[in-house]
């Protein structure tokens, strides 16, 4: 405890140097913790020596420096965005992947949304036992859907590990869900964290570090298992690629022409989303009021907003969900742009005489 | 509060007014014997309530189960003021009840001389026989019979007896509305006998069916997925669409949200004529003359005025000719009109209607000669102006739910430039609706689809950003084109309100 108070006092003695905003957020954080602490499982960061381990028992945790891994941070953010996208209709916003998922409530909503089912689990509860029971029901259901053997999942994610807010377990679980449901996100490849494993051997604690793979390399192209025609096209037939581009360009211009718009270059004229929105309106017979998007986007956020809106319109038109992320389009990723346009093309290329795409 | 029928009988005008102000109450509903409120008010001689009901669009010639119309009851109970009020509002003076009696039969029988005289002066036939083969003159005292007979001859009536003809089959059309229509909100989809598929549009699929013996239309909203939140919002939003108390607003009867498969269904009354858009531009076979077009404009303006008077206003309603339904003017249905005796009982003789209206379009003088021929007996008409047969109603079933078709406008041609650019929260919605009304006027005048040759996206972009506007073609009266221009003012604040537009249109109609 002496250590704690020392931390405390040093924090206050440093106070004048802190920018006010930081101080405020710290204070808020502290207040939040104070309010929430009775309901969350007690897991203060008391260091390895705090654990009461039986002989040969081991515990693992993420090595602190591993948390700074930019790939890990990206992965967490992508998963968060995905969950928030899926649960937008429930007005649920998940901010923290460790703090918000441990009690099973969000996981229940997520699996219900993904499977379009209702999972009969008890209502939100404050007690640890209640939370764990709920989590058990939800995880059992998820394991059943994913079709993973109980032992394997026990190793990767268990009621106890998820409930104790173990980041690695939660990530394994979410990555498995995202893959299984073909989430329209691209997971960063080769995300590996370093685990600190503590074992009690002969009454002394022995620590070692083990690398733990969250996502692999080869199987994460485009966030799903298989390669598609565009991958092949890009890798093996660059000459054909130009034919495809030309066909798409003709198709797009045939429609945009009505608005006196013309695309000359597929590579860099779709990244702000405006043409995609116009195209969808022309093809589906509606107008999109101008307050719904940015007619002349100037920032990255504007462009992402526009592309997201265009994606929404495509989804409404029952087009297959684009594999690309809106960000990919904004970043002028040609493969992603072509995939999206190709989706549109296949649905709306109409009538006899229209040219099929040679692929 | 006692039930509304008692309130009307007892003449509690204040309570009746309060009841009528509640949008969920249907002023044309009938009691167990299908007496409407107007029947009771007429029977009890509640002049002020009769007046109130008529002004709010009560059906003048509604029938109860005995086929009495309100004027039968007023005449039978000696309420002269009410009788005159009803006559003045186009009550059918020769309506026949199940016994074959006209209002004149009753006035004669009960010895209401003054009323009998009023009726004859307004075209009541003195020689209509009832089921027992008695004519009204048989029912009254000799001096009275002579007086009425002389008056009838002076007015040119043919005195040969008109035999009784059973027309009770007409009753289904004119009877007061089934009160259950406005009673239920939540409806079980299983109760709807959905039979005919009508149409599939961007907003949903419409089916015809029946519910509790009423012809209904069920619109299944087009939704990619129906979430719990959608269902919650849906159930929260639809009750305010149940507006039964205005003749120019077509209420949503109810809604259901079946779980399996998950759907959102909006139920409203079936309107055989379809939308105004359909009537004007489709192959409806209905001829809309200038007078009828003005009548539609007035109806729409009245409906909109009412919607604009609501607090809070119903959001997300876009005024277009597709969202206005055409109905027979039940308030004015008159079964003695020749078109109802033409044998076609099902579709109120639309063909007859056309023969009446076509000469008008071609510029023939407005004389209601067709109407006055009744079984070979010319009826002297006090009012030679043709009354329109159709009325327009704002269709609340075309309200756009907050979660539906987000970010899309399928009919931008009717939207004001500001509505195409800014969110409803940032504009004056009432002024914006007035712009839409101007487009409707243009449509009624030109009989063309606004911006017909352009696609929605083109219309929206060009109206919003390039100043594209409808041009008013020559040949439209100077009054009308001036009105359109005012309603389409570029400055939303300078557009008039509906309550200002209605008297102008009424004046045009009178002078036209």
């Amino acid at each position: 405890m002496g250590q704690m108070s020392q931390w405390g006092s040093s924090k206050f003695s440093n106070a004048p140097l802190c920018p006010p905003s930081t101080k405020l957020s710290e204070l808020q954080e502290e207040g939040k913790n104070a309010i929430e602490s009775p309901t969350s499982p007690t897991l203060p960061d008391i260091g390895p020596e705090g654990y009461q381990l039986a002989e040969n028992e081991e515990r693992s945790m993420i090595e602190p420096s591993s948390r700074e891994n930019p790939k890990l941070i990206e992965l967490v953010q992508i998963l968060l965005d995905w969950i928030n996208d899926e649960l937008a209709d429930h007005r649920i916003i998940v901010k923290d992947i460790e703090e918000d998922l441990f009690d099973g409530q969000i996981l229940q909503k997520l699996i219900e949304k993904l499977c379009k089912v209702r999972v009969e689990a008890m209502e939100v509860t404050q007690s640890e036992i209640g939370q764990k029971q709920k989590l058990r029901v939800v995880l059992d259901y998820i394991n059943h859907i994913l079709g993973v053997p109980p032992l394997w999942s026990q190793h990767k994610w268990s009621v106890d590990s998820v409930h104790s807010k173990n980041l690695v377990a939660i990530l394994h679980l979410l990555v498995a869900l995202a893959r299984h449901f073909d989430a329209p996100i691209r997971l960063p490849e080769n995300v590996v964290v370093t685990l600190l494993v503590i074992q009690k051997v002969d009454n002394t604690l022995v620590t070692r570090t083990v690398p733990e793979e969250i996502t692999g390399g080869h199987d994460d192209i485009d966030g799903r298992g298989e390669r598609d025609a565009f991958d092949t096209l890009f890798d093996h037939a660059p000459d054909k690629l130009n034919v495809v581009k030309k066909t798409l360009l003709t198709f797009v211009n045939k429609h945009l022409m009505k608005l006196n718009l013309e695309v000359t270059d597929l590579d860099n004229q779709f990244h702000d989303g405006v043409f995609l929105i116009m195209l969808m309106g022309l093809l589906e017979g509606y107008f999109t009021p101008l307050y719904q998007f940015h007619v002349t986007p100037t920032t990255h956020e504007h462009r992402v907003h526009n592309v997201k809106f265009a994606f929404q319109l495509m989804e409404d038109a029952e087009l297959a969900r684009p594999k690309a992320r809106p960000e990919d389009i904004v970043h002028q990723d040609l493969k992603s742009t072509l995939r999206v346009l190709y989706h549109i093309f296949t649905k709306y290329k109409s009538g006899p005489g229209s040219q099929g795409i040679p692929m | 509060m006692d039930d509304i029928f008692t309130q009307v009988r007892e003449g509690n005008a204040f309570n009746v007014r309060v009841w009528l102000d509640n949008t969920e109450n249907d002023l044309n509903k009938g009691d167990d014997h299908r007496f409407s409120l107007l029947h009771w008010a007429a029977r009890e001689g509640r002049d002020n309530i009769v007046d109130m009901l008529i002004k709010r669009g009560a059906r003048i010639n509604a029938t109860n189960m005995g086929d009495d119309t309100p004027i039968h009851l007023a005449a039978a109970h000696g309420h002269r003021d009410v009788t005159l009020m009803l006559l003045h509002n186009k009550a059918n003076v020769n309506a026949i009840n199940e016994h074959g009696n006209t209002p004149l039969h009753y006035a004669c029988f009960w010895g209401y001389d003054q009323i009998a005289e009023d009726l004859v002066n307004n075209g009541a036939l003195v020689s209509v026989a009832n089921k027992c083969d008695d004519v009204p003159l048989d029912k009254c005292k000799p001096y009275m019979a002579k007086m009425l007979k002389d008056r009838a001859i002076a007015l040119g009536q043919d005195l040969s007896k008109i035999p009784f003809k059973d027309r009770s089959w007409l009753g289904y059309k004119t009877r007061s509305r089934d009160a259950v229509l406005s009673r239920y909100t939540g409806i079980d989809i299983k109760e709807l006998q959905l039979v005919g598929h009508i149409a599939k549009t961007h907003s949903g699929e419409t089916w015809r069916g029946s519910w509790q013996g009423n012809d209904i239309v069920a619109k299944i909203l087009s939704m990619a997925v129906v979430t719990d939140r959608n269902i919650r919002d849906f159930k929260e939003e639809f009750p305010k669409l149940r507006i039964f108390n205005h003749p120019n607003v077509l209420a949503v009867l109810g809604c259901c949200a079946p779980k399996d498969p998950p759907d959102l269904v909006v139920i409203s009354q079936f309107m055989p004529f379809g939308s105004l858009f359909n009537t004007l531009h489709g192959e409806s076979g209905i001829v809309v003359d200038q007078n009828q077009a003005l009548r539609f404009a007035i109806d729409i303006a009245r409906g909109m005025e009412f919607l604009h008077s609501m607090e809070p206003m119903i959001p997300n309603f876009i005024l277009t000719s597709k969202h206005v339904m055409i109905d027979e003017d039940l308030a004015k249905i008159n079964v003695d009109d020749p078109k109802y005796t033409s044998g076609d009982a099902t579709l109120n003789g639309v063909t007859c209607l056309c023969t009446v209206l076509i000469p008008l379009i071609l510029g023939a003088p407005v004389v209601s000669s067709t109407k006055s021929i009744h079984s070979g007996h010319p009826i002297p008409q006090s009012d030679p102006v043709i009354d329109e047969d159709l009325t327009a109603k704002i269709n609340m079933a075309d309200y756009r739910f907050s979660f539906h078709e987000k970010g899309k406008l399928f009919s931008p041609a009717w939207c004001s430039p500001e509505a195409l650019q800014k969110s409803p929260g940032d504009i004056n919605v009432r002024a914006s609706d007035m712009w839409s009304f101007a487009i409707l006027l243009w449509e009624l005048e030109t009989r063309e689809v606004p911006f017909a040759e352009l696609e929605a996206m083109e219309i929206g972009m060009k109206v919003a950003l390039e100043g594209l506007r409808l041009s008013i073609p020559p040949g439209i009266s100077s009054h009308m084109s001036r009105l359109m221009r005012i309603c389409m003012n570029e400055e939303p604040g300078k557009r008039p309100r509906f309550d200002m537009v209605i008297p102008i249109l009424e004046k045009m109609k009178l002078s036209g």
Side-chain angles (χ1 to χ4, degrees):
Chain A
M1 283 314 283
Q3 219 180 4
M4 292 290 283
S5 63
Q6 194 193 330
W7 274 109
S9 68
S10 74
K11 192 164 75 185
F12 284 110
S13 64
N14 276 339
L17 297 174
C18 293
S21 59
T22 321
K23 234 174 73 183
L24 194 65
S25 67
E26 271 176 21
L27 205 62
Q28 271 175 344
E29 189 62 25
E30 218 169 71
K32 205 180 105 210
N33 290 342
I35 292 169
E36 289 179 352
S37 56
T39 66
S40 45
T42 48
L43 197 80
D45 194 6
I46 50 173
E49 70 274 21
Y51 285 114
Q52 298 293 321
L53 292 178
E55 185 64 29
N56 283 332
E57 197 186 348
E58 57 176 52
R59 295 279 168 93
S60 62
M61 61 179 65
I62 287 193
E63 194 194 50
S65 64
S66 217
R67 283 179 175 272
E68 308 301 319
N69 178 353
K71 273 187 166 174
L72 180 71
I73 293 171
E74 190 194 348
L75 175 66
V76 167
Q77 192 52 48
I78 287 171
L79 289 169
L80 275 181
D81 288 347
W82 170 57
I83 297 173
N84 286 331
D85 246 26
E86 292 290 345
L87 298 182
D89 282 333
H90 291 276
R91 305 181 197 223
I92 290 175
I93 295 171
V94 179
K95 286 189 180 139
D96 187 317
I97 210 159
E98 291 165 273
E99 294 299 324
D100 293 347
L101 298 182
F102 73 92
D103 64 0
Q105 179 67 14
I106 306 279
L107 286 173
Q108 178 188 357
K109 292 283 177 223
L110 184 63
I111 194 73
E112 285 181 343
K113 167 79 200 303
L114 292 171
C115 295
K116 300 194 174 68
V117 293
R118 235 193 98 63
V119 178
E120 292 303 330
M122 64 172 76
E123 280 306 304
V124 192
T125 164
Q126 304 282 16
S127 79
E128 188 178 328
I129 294 172
Q131 288 175 347
K132 281 190 171 173
Q133 275 171 354
K134 183 192 181 83
L135 197 55
R136 157 84 51 214
V137 174
V138 174
L139 287 183
D140 280 352
Y141 189 80
I142 290 176
N143 291 340
H144 166 71
I145 292 292
L146 297 180
V148 293
L151 263 176
W152 187 79
S153 67
Q154 189 61 31
H155 170 67
K156 294 265 187 184
W157 58 81
S158 65
V159 170
D160 285 328
S161 58
V162 173
H163 193 261
S164 64
K165 306 179 183 175
N166 182 319
L167 179 61
V168 175
I170 293 173
L171 286 178
H172 275 312
L173 176 61
L174 292 177
V175 167
L177 281 173
R179 292 232 181 101
H180 181 83
F181 288 99
D182 274 350
I185 52 176
R186 180 194 296 210
L187 300 175
E189 299 168 18
N190 295 321
V191 178
V192 179
V193 295
T194 312
L195 288 186
L196 203 58
V197 181
I198 305 146
Q199 195 177 20
K200 197 170 191 178
V201 182
D202 294 337
N203 240 351
T204 49
L205 292 175
V206 180
T207 62
R208 61 195 150 93
T209 55
V210 189
E212 174 85 7
E213 186 183 274
I214 309 282
T215 65
H218 58 284
D219 63 344
D220 272 314
I221 299 163
D222 319 310
R224 56 169 68 199
E226 84 272 20
R227 290 162 57 85
D228 69 1
F230 277 96
D231 293 308
T232 322
L233 207 60
F234 269 73
D235 294 347
H236 305 293
D239 49 328
K240 274 204 168 179
L241 184 64
N242 280 328
V243 183
V244 172
K245 280 171 86 171
K246 209 166 171 192
T247 312
L248 289 177
L249 198 65
T250 314
F251 166 76
V252 163
N253 278 330
K254 189 176 105 193
H255 294 282
L256 290 178
M257 219 178 63
K258 293 170 197 148
L259 301 174
N260 301 324
L261 299 172
E262 198 192 349
V263 177
T264 49
D265 194 347
L266 290 177
D267 297 41
N268 55 22
Q269 283 187 285
F270 282 92
H271 71 289
D272 65 9
V274 175
F275 282 0
L276 283 176
I277 296 168
M278 299 286 135
L279 197 54
M280 285 313 296
L282 287 165
L283 293 168
E284 285 280 307
Y286 53 74
F287 171 69
T288 48
L290 303 184
Y291 62 89
Q292 300 282 358
F293 63 105
H294 303 278
V295 187
T296 44
T298 48
T299 67
H300 179 74
E301 281 70 36
H302 287 174
R303 291 183 202 109
V304 173
H305 172 95
N306 282 358
V307 177
K308 273 189 179 156
F309 180 51
F311 277 20
Q312 181 61 49
L313 298 176
M314 292 176 206
E315 211 175 303
D316 292 349
E318 285 166 15
L319 272 158
R321 247 188 177 191
K323 290 180 204 169
R325 292 183 299 148
E327 286 80 2
D328 296 333
I329 306 293
V330 175
H331 288 137
Q332 307 192 8
D333 179 77
L334 181 60
K335 214 193 272 182
S336 302
T337 310
L338 291 183
R339 276 199 187 102
V340 168
L341 290 174
Y342 181 70
H343 264 317
I344 301 176
F345 172 82
T346 14
K347 170 151 187 181
Y348 298 98
K349 61 167 184 230
S350 56
S354 73
Q355 213 185 338
I357 211 157
M359 283 183 72
Chain B
M1 201 197 256
D2 266 338
D3 81 285
I4 183 62
F5 295 102
T6 314
Q7 299 290 344
V8 169
R9 276 203 302 273
E10 290 174 356
N12 298 327
F14 178 77
N15 288 352
V16 173
R17 190 181 303 275
V18 170
W19 187 89
L20 288 173
D21 281 340
N22 180 348
T23 55
E24 281 208 34
N25 290 329
D26 178 359
L27 85 167
N28 281 312
K29 75 172 183 177
D31 65 7
D32 292 346
H33 301 278
R34 296 293 168 86
F35 280 60
S36 67
L37 301 180
L38 188 59
H39 278 99
W40 282 114
R43 185 180 188 275
E44 302 299 325
R46 307 292 178 196
D47 310 4
N48 51 347
I49 295 179
V50 169
D51 182 53
M52 200 188 310
L53 289 168
I54 292 174
K55 284 207 175 109
R56 298 208 186 208
R59 288 157 56 177
I60 301 290
N61 292 314
T63 52
N64 63 13
M65 279 183 172
D67 282 344
D68 297 307
T69 62
I71 198 173
H72 276 104
L73 302 181
H77 291 84
H79 302 303
R80 188 181 179 213
D81 287 347
V82 174
T83 308
L84 289 174
M85 228 185 286
L86 291 169
L87 284 172
H88 191 72
N89 284 284
K90 316 269 182 350
N92 177 12
V93 72
N94 287 308
I96 285 169
N97 70 8
E98 62 175 343
H99 309 293
N101 288 325
T102 62
L104 186 58
H105 278 94
Y106 289 100
C108 288
F109 180 79
W110 293 106
Y112 295 121
D113 305 355
Q114 191 74 65
I115 293 179
E117 211 181 323
D118 294 333
L119 289 170
V120 173
N121 285 338
N122 281 282
L125 299 170
V126 296
S127 40
V128 181
N130 65 12
K131 259 187 178 168
C132 310
D133 208 31
D134 288 334
V135 299
L137 298 184
D138 300 331
K139 296 286 179 192
C140 54
K141 301 190 177 82
Y143 79 92
M144 182 67 192
K146 182 174 182 325
M147 198 266 285
L148 291 179
K149 194 172 166 186
D150 292 348
R151 174 59 52 87
I153 292 168
L155 287 167
Q157 277 191 32
D158 180 343
L159 293 190
S160 46
K161 195 181 268 186
I162 303 166
F164 172 72
K165 227 164 58 187
D166 187 4
R167 284 183 301 181
S168 53
W169 53 266
L170 280 167
Y172 84 98
K173 197 155 232 357
T174 48
R175 207 146 277 166
S176 298
R177 208 139 55 195
D178 186 350
V180 296
L181 281 184
S182 61
R183 205 178 290 154
Y184 294 106
T185 49
I187 298 172
D188 187 345
I189 185 96
K190 292 193 198 89
E191 291 173 33
L192 306 174
Q193 291 133 29
L194 299 183
V195 280
H197 187 260
I198 303 177
K200 184 175 163 69
T201 68
H202 55 83
S203 66
E205 267 184 64
T206 42
W207 289 76
R208 236 191 114 165
S210 70
W211 176 68
Q212 312 241 13
N214 297 290
D215 280 344
I216 54 112
V217 171
K219 176 173 163 188
I220 303 170
L221 298 189
S222 62
M223 300 281 294
V225 275
V226 177
T227 65
D228 286 352
R229 186 175 155 200
N230 293 153
I231 296 175
R232 203 167 55 228
D233 290 348
F234 181 69
K235 287 186 172 162
E236 214 163 87
E237 288 173 43
F238 89 75
K240 64 182 175 223
L241 307 176
R242 291 167 38 83
I243 300 174
F244 287 91
N245 67 344
H246 197 280
N248 300 117
V249 177
L250 184 63
V252 163
L253 298 178
C255 286
C256 48
K259 282 260 188 279
D260 193 26
D263 268 323
L264 303 175
V265 187
V266 182
I267 298 149
S268 51
Q269 255 179 290
F270 176 67
M271 293 283 124
F273 293 99
S275 67
L276 176 60
F277 185 90
N278 184 47
T279 304
L280 290 177
H281 314 302
E283 310 218 326
S284 61
I286 303 167
V287 180
V288 178
D289 71 332
Q290 198 56 30
N291 220 31
Q292 180 70 68
L294 269 172
R295 166 68 192 276
F296 285 157
I298 294 170
D299 288 342
I300 296 164
R302 286 196 182 128
M304 287 308 290
E305 184 205 13
F306 177 77
L307 293 179
H308 280 186
S309 73
M310 291 176 79
E311 208 50 74
M313 237 172 77
I314 294 175
N316 304 333
F317 183 83
I318 301 171
L319 178 60
T320 79
S321 56
K322 294 171 186 169
H323 299 168
V324 171
M325 298 303 273
I326 300 305
D327 193 9
E328 296 168 90
D329 190 352
L330 288 175
K332 302 278 168 58
I333 273 198
N334 180 335
V335 292
D336 280 339
D337 195 299
K339 67 178 188 244
Y340 293 108
T341 52
S342 65
D344 177 14
T346 46
L347 247 193
N348 45 60
V350 172
T351 42
C352 280
L353 183 63
C354 297
T355 58
V356 177
L357 296 176
I358 286 167
L360 294 176
I361 303 246
L362 299 176
V366 183
V367 179
S368 60
S369 55
T370 332
K371 266 198 170 178
S372 58
I373 300 164
H374 172 65
S375 314
H377 298 264
I379 305 168
Q381 290 263 328
S382 53
D383 182 4
V385 177
I386 275 211
D387 200 23
E388 308 77 37
D389 296 272
L390 300 175
T391 175
K393 298 178 171 196
I394 314 253
N395 188 12
M396 296 322 290
D398 285 319
Y399 160 86
R400 197 172 63 161
F401 285 88
S402 62
F403 51 83
H404 195 219
E405 298 186 333
K406 263 190 166 167
K408 299 170 202 161
L409 273 179
F410 283 87
S411 301
W414 284 268
C415 293
S416 68
E418 70 268 19
L420 298 173
Q421 299 179 62
K422 297 181 199 157
S423 85
D426 296 332
I427 61 170
N428 179 343
V429 176
R430 289 180 173 88
S432 182
D433 285 342
M434 185 48 78
W435 177 286
S436 309
F437 184 69
I439 308 281
L440 272 168
L441 288 178
W442 182 92
E443 208 181 346
L444 284 165
E445 286 291 313
T446 62
R447 309 299 160 89
E448 283 175 33
V449 179
F451 306 119
E453 70 286 2
L454 300 181
E455 291 185 30
M457 192 45 109
E458 300 175 73
I459 298 170
M461 293 304 278
K462 288 177 180 166
V463 170
L465 301 176
E466 293 169 27
L468 175 69
R469 298 291 181 263
L470 286 173
S471 60
I472 299 174
I476 288 178
S477 78
S478 61
H479 293 300
M480 186 50 96
S481 53
R482 204 176 309 147
L483 179 62
M484 280 189 233
R485 284 206 185 85
I486 296 170
C487 300
M488 241 189 274
N489 198 308
E490 292 292 329
E491 193 75 52
K494 288 187 180 156
R495 295 175 205 149
R497 293 189 314 265
F498 280 103
D499 60 341
M500 298 151 84
V501 168
I502 294 168
I504 299 174
L505 287 166
E506 281 172 340
K507 221 172 203 172
M508 279 188 204
K509 188 155 172 288
L510 278 179
S511 63

